[in-house]
Amino acid sequence: MTACRSILTSLILLMAGPATGQIVVVASQQGARLTRIEGEAVAGSFTVPASPAVVAADGRGRLYASHPDGRSISMIEPDGTVHRLPVQAQAFGLAVEPDGSRLYVGDWSGNRVLCLSPATGAVEGTIPVGPDPAALVLGEPGRLYVAEREGRSVGVIDTRTQRRVADLPVGDGPFALAYDPSLARLYVANVRSNDVTVIDTAGGGC
């Protein structure tokens, strides 16, 4: 994880969707805390295990944080209760279905994506992907995109069949993803080539 840590900062921001209202979550790696901000007010601050790497949120107000070194995921309920989900993987990138029914976890050192039940932490599927899956984002229904940092590509997973069905060539070192549903566009931040790849997911081009 040395190369991974050199890229991370001490603050990680997450914008949640309209189902829960617009929120920002700030994860402090050194302080091992998540701070939830709604509008201009702090709505909560939660202590989590050491070195949270990536945060995600579902449409029910639950927050999730990955801990690669601790091989675990923190799930924070709307009331602030923190649950620890052990993971037999170096959990890094996260994505969660809006209804909270399934959590997708990128295994940094295992080159795979795990499909978990957030309720129990049970593994419901394992999908091989390219090297160093850094970021995950849900796109159009049935599609999960995975930034494969050492593969210069974004893997496309069919969440219904739990299979990797395509790869999209991008710049060098894809590390962060964002999806705009209104335009059906995927944005890929490439940390080594210092550029952003924009992919029209509806038309398959970029």
Side-chain angles (χ1 to χ4, degrees), residues 157-169:
I157 290 175
D158 185 328
T159 59
R160 291 160 292 201
T161 62
Q162 295 191 16
R163 299 183 65 182
R164 186 178 184 275
V165 294
D167 62 272
L168 307 173

Side-chain angles (χ1 to χ4, degrees), residues 98-113:
D99 64 0
S101 61
R102 181 175 289 170
L103 177 66
Y104 304 98
V105 182
D107 181 359
W108 180 270
S109 57
N111 302 334
R112 58 183 181 161
V113 170

Side-chain angles (χ1 to χ4, degrees), residues 63-184:
L63 305 177
Y64 303 83
S66 63
H67 306 279
D69 295 336
R71 293 182 171 267
S72 65
I73 295 167
S74 294
M75 180 175 68
I76 300 93
E77 301 283 1
D79 65 2
T81 302
V82 179
H83 305 283
R84 179 181 179 272
L85 302 178
V87 182
Q88 296 301 311
Q90 198 168 21
F92 190 74
L94 297 176
V96 59
E97 294 285 357
D99 64 0
S101 61
R102 181 175 289 170
L103 177 66
Y104 304 98
V105 182
D107 181 359
W108 180 270
S109 57
N111 302 334
R112 58 183 181 161
V113 170
L114 303 179
C115 304
L116 304 184
S117 165
T120 64
V123 177
E124 298 179 341
T126 301
I127 306 163
V129 296
D132 293 358
L136 283 65
V137 70
L138 287 163
E140 56 274 25
R143 285 292 182 265
L144 175 70
Y145 297 99
V146 183
E148 300 164 341
R149 195 188 69 161
E150 296 304 317
R152 296 176 63 104
S153 61
V154 170
V156 183
I157 290 175
D158 185 328
T159 59
R160 291 160 292 201
T161 62
Q162 295 191 16
R163 299 183 65 182
R164 186 178 184 275
V165 294
D167 62 272
L168 307 173
V170 295
D172 192 2
F175 194 77
L177 301 174
Y179 182 76
D180 184 346
S182 66
L183 298 175

